[in-house]
Amino acid sequence: MDTRVPSKFLSSPEDLGVVAVGFSGGQCKPGVDAAPSALIESGLLTQLRDELLYKLHGDDTVHQYTDLVPHDDPPYRSMKNPRAVSSVTRRIADQVYSHAKEGRMVLTLGGDHSIAIGTIAGTAKAMRERLGGREMAVIWVDAHADINTPESSGSGNIHGMPVSFLTGLAKEDNEEFFGWLQPENLISVKKLVYIGLRDVDIGEKQILRQHGIKAFSMHDIDRHGIGRVMEMALGHIGADTPIHLSFDVDALDPMWAPSTGTPVRGGLTLREGDYICECVHETGSLVAIDLVEVNPSLAPATDIGAHETVRAGCSLIRCALGESLL
Ligand SMILES: NC(=[NH2+])NCCC[C@H](N)C(=O)O
Ligand SMILES: [Mn+2]
Ligand SMILES: [Mn+2]
């Protein structure tokens, strides 16, 4: 049954561009590159086609981007695998842009969260072009803020830095190291909203405070409930702004999503995660969604964990794309 809410900013909202990114270079644990295949094998795309009635574009093949990963990629400004992540995200930006400029909804299956440098760069540019220069908003659902600069990062893992590059807080002129990001690829810190935070580095807290970035931590969700938090989050963005939803599966409690590289206890229930996605769908403003950091090879104790995490990821995506309960 077609239960989708009419879309405000897409010219062909029933068309879904799918980008499957088998890339793990933004962090050090292998396996997160296998997530797109695991999600697809569990039937995600079939469900989107047959149950939610989307026309899928792009392909079922998972991009490995091996042609873009150099043999030798020494750190730069303390970033690990900087050339690989820069060139892969640059390619992703083109892929996402080409779907979004056609007025399609875009679904990107990661991969680690560094890939959001590409997805958001792609939609931000397409929305500006399609909507007369209008800025897009980003809802970043995550245990982490991923807003370290190369200098503030303790790990050097670029999956902890995408938001600093996307907001222009981290700057770099060299094309080899994200210098390809142009003003039209960036988003404003005023249009960024976090939900689910509970493991934020000291340097990141300073950045959030200094720029007055809207953030709803797990504490806020405990205090107000997820219903009120979503009202406040969407109220901050406003009804006339396209939304890119970037969902890190580690926002969910490890009880629901144990197979992920940097799990943090005290997270969202699966129902709260689904609710966030349903509310974003209901706005009619959603233009793109990323699901990242599912790592099927990290299954504590049994491989039931991997299966559960993949299932949770599929559920989040279906909710964001209009699956309704009744
Ligand atoms: N996308 C993620 N899971 N990010 C985790 C980031 C952890 C830590 N803040 C770092 O910068 O390394
Ligand atoms: Mn995270
Ligand atoms: Mn993240």
Side-chain angles (χ1 to χ4, degrees):
M1 187 178 45
D2 183 359
T3 52
R4 280 180 272 123
V5 169
S7 171
K8 287 185 248 179
F9 304 109
L10 301 173
S11 54
S12 14
E14 68 287 347
D15 288 304
L16 181 68
V18 179
V19 183
V21 178
F23 181 68
S24 64
Q27 47 85 67
C28 303
K29 297 179 185 171
V32 68
D33 44 297
S37 320
L39 291 158
I40 293 168
E41 276 159 28
S42 86
L44 174 66
L45 299 183
T46 317
Q47 292 164 5
L48 297 179
R49 215 180 274 126
D50 299 348
E51 291 165 36
L52 292 172
L53 308 181
Y54 280 97
K55 253 181 272 159
L56 269 45
H57 299 260
D59 39 72
D60 295 18
T61 57
V62 179
H63 301 270
Q64 304 291 345
Y65 306 97
T66 35
D67 56 319
L68 299 175
V69 177
H71 290 295
D72 194 33
D73 196 358
Y76 175 79
R77 289 175 63 187
S78 93
M79 292 184 278
K80 293 174 180 160
N81 312 322
R83 294 161 196 79
V85 181
S86 176
S87 50
V88 168
T89 53
R90 187 179 192 169
R91 174 80 60 86
I92 294 168
D94 288 340
Q95 293 177 285
V96 170
Y97 170 79
S98 67
H99 287 300
K101 79 168 196 307
E102 300 296 326
R104 296 173 191 153
M105 176 84 78
V106 190
L107 168 65
T108 305
L109 307 174
D112 71 67
H113 221 162
S114 68
I115 68 161
I117 296 175
T119 62
I120 290 173
T123 41
K125 179 177 173 195
M127 287 306 128
R128 280 196 171 87
E129 288 178 7
R130 290 177 44 81
L131 304 170
R134 190 156 2 172
E135 273 189 15
M136 170 184 96
V138 170
I139 300 182
W140 194 276
V141 187
D142 204 322
H144 310 93
D146 295 346
I147 197 167
N148 272 306
T149 62
E151 286 66 36
S152 77
S153 167
S155 68
N157 293 329
I158 299 176
H159 78 155
M161 309 178 195
V163 183
S164 74
F165 281 101
L166 288 164
T167 52
L169 295 173
K171 287 186 193 42
E172 174 61 49
D173 292 331
N174 189 335
E175 289 223 343
E176 246 190 326
F177 307 110
F178 307 108
W180 55 269
L181 284 165
Q182 299 299 306
E184 65 264 26
N185 298 122
L186 305 186
I187 55 154
S188 157
V189 287
K190 296 191 191 71
K191 296 244 151 81
L192 168 65
V193 181
Y194 285 108
I195 302 173
L197 300 186
R198 58 191 182 279
D199 183 11
V200 180
D201 299 339
I202 297 171
E204 293 183 300
K205 287 182 185 165
Q206 275 169 0
I207 295 173
L208 296 182
R209 255 186 255 126
Q210 190 186 341
H211 296 276
I213 294 171
K214 199 46 128 190
F216 298 96
S217 64
M218 288 311 299
H219 177 90
D220 297 308
I221 295 168
D222 291 340
R223 169 165 300 172
H224 303 290
I226 193 67
R228 181 78 190 107
V229 163
M230 286 314 292
E231 273 172 38
M232 292 189 283
L234 295 171
H236 179 80
I237 290 169
D240 55 352
T241 306
I243 298 175
H244 183 123
L245 175 63
S246 200
F247 206 116
D248 183 331
V249 83
D250 72 29
L252 300 182
D253 191 90
M255 180 181 283
W256 304 99
S259 298
T260 188
T262 51
V264 189
R265 292 182 299 171
L268 301 168
T269 64
L270 177 57
R271 231 350 269 163
E272 286 169 331
D274 281 348
Y275 182 78
I276 292 169
C277 294
E278 289 162 3
C279 288
V280 173
H281 177 81
E282 272 175 357
T283 62
S285 300
L286 184 65
V287 296
I289 172 172
D290 316 323
L291 180 77
V292 299
E293 299 285 351
V294 171
N295 187 335
S297 69
L298 298 175
T302 62
D303 54 37
I304 293 172
H307 180 68
E308 284 301 302
T309 310
V310 166
R311 251 174 28 119
C314 291
S315 178
L316 295 168
I317 291 168
R318 288 197 312 269
C319 290
L321 293 177
E323 179 174 81
S324 69
L325 298 171
L326 299 171

